[in-house]
Amino acid sequence: PTREEDFDLYALGALEGAEKQATETHVRSCADCARKLAEAQGGIALLALAAPETAPSPYVKGRLMQRVHDSPGTSAAVSARPMPQREFARDGGVLSRWWAAVFVPAFAIAVIAAIFLWTQNARLDRQLEASHAAIVQQQAELDRARTVVDLVEAHDTILVKLAPQPRMPEGSARVLYNAREGTMLYDGQLTPAPEGKSYQLWLVPANGKPISAGVFNSAAGLATSLTAKLPPGVAPKAFAVTLEPAGGKPQPTGPMVLVGPVS
């Protein structure tokens, strides 16, 4: 059992099926839960003492006295005589009142409390998830801001301007790059890529193959800002933006849209 109310529900006889079987199986090997179940059963048993006392029916008392004084044959005849329905209903009233006054309210309160707690827990879980997501986003923005500040303030950071190529989408951009730290900031504006295409930013090293610095899609009239962490110590020959299939490629395959040589 994972909830404290399971013990009370079991003692009330409200657990059924798999839940009841799981509780019975668990308490055989868990002394602590067995103690809690015993306490719950004892508490439920004490509820019977809280029921109001009821005087026995005069008919019942008279019948009992008659059976004591009558002969065995007469007793048999008396015992065979059916009790009037109204008296049976009256005798059963104690049990009915006990269940109505004790079990039904207690069970209803337990159900309402369980529903309330479940609702509250679900709401708190959603709030916690939203708060965690907000914290993660804020931390990412803070880390990016620190990276940009460090990049701008570093004395060995270079600025490279990227210009559009003939017959390519219009736009312009600039790149801040620090080879020592291997950090880069791209800031530019391009017309949206065609359907099924993405823009991909590349560092073209003095020696070796181009290194991907990220894939992005631009929105009409809005600037795109992108930070990237690259292998430190790479001397760049140029930076370029190419038009690639959606999601990008390991190496450039499409036409160059923006190019900026490193002077």
Side-chain angles (χ1 to χ4, degrees), residues 92-235:
V94 177
L95 183 61
S96 300
R97 285 193 296 273
W98 189 91
W99 281 96
V102 178
F103 177 78
V104 174
F107 182 72
I109 291 173
V111 171
I112 293 173
I115 294 175
F116 175 77
L117 291 175
W118 180 85
T119 303
Q120 290 294 100
N121 287 339
R123 182 175 64 84
L124 291 175
D125 286 342
R126 289 193 297 269
Q127 291 178 348
L128 183 61
E129 290 177 359
S131 298
H132 178 71
I135 291 174
V136 171
Q137 182 178 358
Q138 292 174 359
Q139 185 62 46
E141 293 175 354
L142 180 61
D143 293 342
R144 183 178 182 276
R146 288 174 177 170
T147 300
V148 172
V149 170
D150 293 341
L151 187 62
V152 171
E153 292 181 347
H155 68 279
D156 52 349
T157 295
I158 61 174
L159 172 64
V160 181
K161 294 183 178 181
L162 280 65
Q165 300 302 293
R167 296 183 297 279
M168 287 290 109
E170 295 183 357
S172 63
R174 61 179 183 174
V175 168
L176 289 174
Y177 176 67
N178 188 289
R180 175 175 50 84
E181 296 292 338
T183 55
M184 186 189 69
L185 170 65
Y186 167 89
D187 184 43
Q189 189 169 353
L190 279 168
T191 57
E195 185 177 357
K197 298 288 186 176
S198 297
Y199 291 117
Q200 191 163 1
L201 177 63
W202 303 92
L203 182 156
V204 182
N207 297 296
K209 296 181 179 180
I211 302 172
S212 175
V215 179
F216 63 94
N217 291 301
S218 60
L222 297 178
T224 301
S225 181
L226 178 69
T227 57
K229 190 70 176 177
L230 301 173
V234 177

Side-chain angles (χ1 to χ4, degrees), residues 13-151:
L15 286 185
E16 298 180 352
E19 290 183 326
K20 179 180 178 182
Q21 184 177 1
T23 301
E24 292 174 345
T25 302
H26 179 73
V27 296
R28 295 193 190 104
S29 59
C30 180
D32 185 59
C33 288
R35 176 184 58 78
K36 292 180 180 179
L37 179 60
E39 292 176 354
Q41 290 173 327
I44 297 302
L46 290 177
L47 290 177
L49 301 179
E53 295 185 2
T54 304
S57 167
Y59 174 82
V60 175
K61 182 177 180 181
R63 182 182 173 191
L64 176 63
M65 297 304 296
Q66 184 177 358
R67 291 189 62 179
V68 171
H69 294 289
D70 284 353
S71 62
T74 304
S75 297
V78 171
S79 64
R81 186 174 63 188
M83 180 182 293
Q85 182 63 32
R86 63 181 184 87
E87 295 294 346
F88 178 81
R90 185 182 302 171
D91 292 340
V94 177
L95 183 61
S96 300
R97 285 193 296 273
W98 189 91
W99 281 96
V102 178
F103 177 78
V104 174
F107 182 72
I109 291 173
V111 171
I112 293 173
I115 294 175
F116 175 77
L117 291 175
W118 180 85
T119 303
Q120 290 294 100
N121 287 339
R123 182 175 64 84
L124 291 175
D125 286 342
R126 289 193 297 269
Q127 291 178 348
L128 183 61
E129 290 177 359
S131 298
H132 178 71
I135 291 174
V136 171
Q137 182 178 358
Q138 292 174 359
Q139 185 62 46
E141 293 175 354
L142 180 61
D143 293 342
R144 183 178 182 276
R146 288 174 177 170
T147 300
V148 172
V149 170
D150 293 341
L151 187 62

